[in-house]
Amino acid sequence: MKKKILSWIGYVLFIAFVVTASLELASQFYVHNYRRDLLQQSYQQENPAEYKRIQEWHGNFKRSPFFGYVTRYGNNYGFSSSEDYPLAKDDRTFIIAVLGGSVADQFVRHIVANERLTDKLKEHVPALKDKYIRFMNLAIPGYKQPQQYIASSYFIEDIDMVIQLDGWNEVWSRTSGAYPMNYPTFSEFLYDDESNGRINDVFEQKAKAESIRMHPILSKSAIMILYRNILLKEVYKESQDLSNPKTSFYNRMNSADEIQQILVGNWKKYTQMQQAILKLHNKPGFFFVQPSQYNPESKTFSSQEQATVINDLFASSVADFLALRKEASKLGVYDLAMVFKPIKETIYTDDCCHINSKGNEIIADAIFRTIGQNYKTK
């Protein structure tokens, strides 16, 4: 009986092999003679880097009832700090909250890791010379207004000063259709609704297609090439449906000017409210527009930067960024857009906005000098 069962299993496996081989041969013939375009398709056009970035968001961030979202691996409030908030303090302690997105997050991390920069701040601000300065990181990658307004207002009683470094997220980070564009970055991937489910389905299909393209064996199979083409057709169809003007907030906008008005207007509204809250509590706030490689003539690129730091998608937001800078000047926001103008060596580390240690040193010096020139004791 056992031999008979093994014999039947062998027979089934043989038939399965013959059928699979036949289908593979037929698919190879079809692909090589009629659909050679499928062999030449580059999945890069489907932006796998974007998919990877979104998957990282799922792994690194979680929803927050107060701040839109926070990190999964942060402190008691989900901010990037080894200490819970509010920070312990006494009469000698002076707590500076740093707010913004990933650029601000990297900036405050750099300051905390280099104590000499705190000494430099004291040099520029004599009133803080005898204070024990502590930095409270309220910046998280992707943050934009009103998250800064909400975070600084929530912790207003626990801080003594605000340094805010923002600008680029305000005009580039926008939702992809499931929510209004002034909602927190990637709301559609962190909150559940019908559109959210469909968007995640799109990325799952992209992931399957990418795994086929990258697999050392499956990528050689014509059957899998055809299956991948079916997946990408579904991705395209779903993406088109999600971009329907009837359901997409983004596509309801009729012009670039209207989009700009919403993005810049959102930043202006909550920055003014944030300034008002700080003034009401007699807490000094220093707001800065961060530099950007997309700002015209703001830096002479090194050879390394010329090869890696420009992305046409991001460059499309230059007009919005310039409009934000114009509004910032009316609100007393300090402009760091040209701070790298005389620097020829490498500063930018990617095609978004992030900078290296030297860049953070330059920004820290500019910010501390500005504070020193404008800080008024209570």
Side-chain angles (χ1 to χ4, degrees):
M1 182 68 179
K2 185 175 182 180
K3 289 184 177 180
K4 189 173 183 180
I5 292 175
L6 291 175
S7 177
W8 271 103
I9 292 175
Y11 177 74
V12 170
L13 290 175
F14 175 76
I15 294 298
F17 172 79
V18 171
V19 171
T20 301
S22 299
L23 288 173
E24 180 63 32
L25 288 173
S27 298
Q28 289 283 354
F29 177 82
Y30 173 73
V31 169
H32 284 273
N33 288 277
Y34 299 101
R35 293 301 308 272
R36 292 189 65 85
D37 59 305
L38 296 181
L39 298 176
Q40 300 170 356
Q41 280 184 355
S42 169
Y43 187 64
Q44 186 62 37
Q45 296 173 350
E46 299 297 330
N47 205 348
E50 177 70 4
Y51 171 77
K52 181 180 178 181
R53 188 160 68 95
I54 299 305
Q55 290 301 92
E56 289 175 349
W57 275 83
H58 280 290
N60 296 332
F61 300 95
K62 61 183 179 181
R63 293 169 291 183
S64 166
F66 301 115
F67 314 114
Y69 62 87
V70 292
T71 70
R72 289 186 181 276
Y73 312 109
N75 61 12
N76 57 327
Y77 277 96
F79 289 96
S80 298
S81 174
S82 59
E83 299 178 277
D84 286 345
Y85 293 162
L87 295 174
K89 63 178 300 186
D90 54 27
D91 292 340
R92 181 173 169 264
T93 305
F94 192 87
I95 296 178
I96 300 176
V98 178
L99 298 103
S102 54
V103 172
D105 177 51
Q106 291 181 347
F107 167 73
V108 67
R109 287 169 182 263
H110 184 78
I111 293 175
V112 172
N114 295 274
E115 293 184 8
R116 57 181 174 77
L117 291 176
T118 301
D119 294 333
K120 182 176 288 188
L121 172 60
K122 291 182 178 182
E123 291 176 10
H124 288 297
V125 189
L128 301 181
K129 183 179 180 180
D130 297 324
K131 293 291 187 179
Y132 172 45
I133 297 177
R134 306 189 70 188
F135 289 91
M136 189 172 179
N137 187 359
L138 296 180
I140 289 183
Y143 263 21
K144 62 178 184 177
Q145 292 288 20
Q147 285 159 292
Q148 289 92 314
Y149 159 72
I150 295 171
S152 63
S153 300
Y154 187 91
F155 291 106
I156 191 69
E157 296 178 350
D158 307 306
I159 60 180
D160 298 298
M161 177 190 290
V162 160
I163 294 176
Q164 186 152 305
L165 184 62
D166 59 13
W168 190 242
N169 285 343
E170 316 302 327
V171 296
W172 184 79
S173 296
R174 57 188 73 169
T175 58
S176 301
Y179 294 91
M181 67 178 69
N182 55 4
Y183 270 42
T185 305
F186 297 130
S187 289
E188 61 267 45
F189 302 106
L190 295 170
Y191 291 86
D192 297 322
D193 64 10
E194 182 179 355
S195 297
N196 171 279
R198 294 184 66 190
I199 290 172
N200 280 314
D201 286 344
V202 167
F203 280 97
E204 288 300 322
Q205 297 288 64
K206 284 186 176 183
K208 290 180 183 178
E210 175 65 358
S211 65
I212 292 172
R213 186 183 76 87
M214 298 298 294
H215 197 281
I217 298 176
L218 296 182
S219 61
K220 304 295 190 299
S221 168
I223 293 177
M224 298 310 293
I225 289 174
L226 293 174
Y227 175 57
R228 175 174 170 271
N229 185 52
I230 293 172
L231 289 176
L232 291 180
K233 283 183 177 180
E234 289 299 313
V235 167
Y236 178 78
K237 180 179 181 299
E238 283 292 305
S239 297
Q240 289 295 102
D241 288 345
L242 286 170
S243 297
N244 190 315
K246 293 182 179 179
T247 59
S248 170
F249 286 93
Y250 177 79
N251 286 285
R252 289 178 188 174
M253 303 303 105
N254 295 320
S255 68
D257 288 342
E258 190 172 2
I259 293 172
Q260 182 183 103
Q261 184 178 3
I262 288 177
L263 294 172
V264 176
N266 181 72
W267 174 84
K268 178 180 178 181
K269 171 185 176 180
Y270 289 105
T271 298
Q272 287 179 310
M273 291 172 64
Q274 190 176 356
Q275 290 174 328
I277 291 291
L278 288 170
K279 184 177 180 180
L280 179 65
H281 288 265
N282 198 26
K283 304 291 176 72
F286 295 88
F287 295 72
F288 299 86
V289 174
Q290 69 189 61
S292 167
Q293 64 263 50
Y294 297 101
N295 192 68
E297 301 181 356
S298 62
K299 186 183 184 301
T300 300
F301 290 145
S302 67
S303 57
Q304 180 180 343
E305 288 174 323
Q306 289 176 353
T308 60
V309 304
I310 295 298
N311 180 312
D312 290 341
L313 176 63
F314 294 160
S316 65
S317 295
V318 169
D320 301 330
F321 183 68
L322 294 176
L324 184 141
R325 286 183 61 199
K326 184 177 180 180
E327 288 299 323
S329 66
K330 302 175 184 178
L331 301 182
V333 175
Y334 303 101
D335 194 344
L336 298 180
M338 307 301 285
V339 73
F340 299 139
K341 176 74 172 178
I343 310 300
K344 295 184 179 180
E345 55 261 50
T346 297
I347 294 294
Y348 292 105
T349 59
D350 59 22
D351 61 0
C352 169
C353 47
H354 303 109
I355 57 180
N356 58 20
S357 294
K358 181 176 179 61
N360 279 307
E361 296 279 335
I362 294 172
I363 284 182
D365 185 66
I367 288 176
F368 294 164
R369 286 181 183 277
T370 300
I371 294 174
Q373 294 166 359
N374 298 275
Y375 182 72
K376 298 177 181 179
T377 57
K378 297 180 182 179

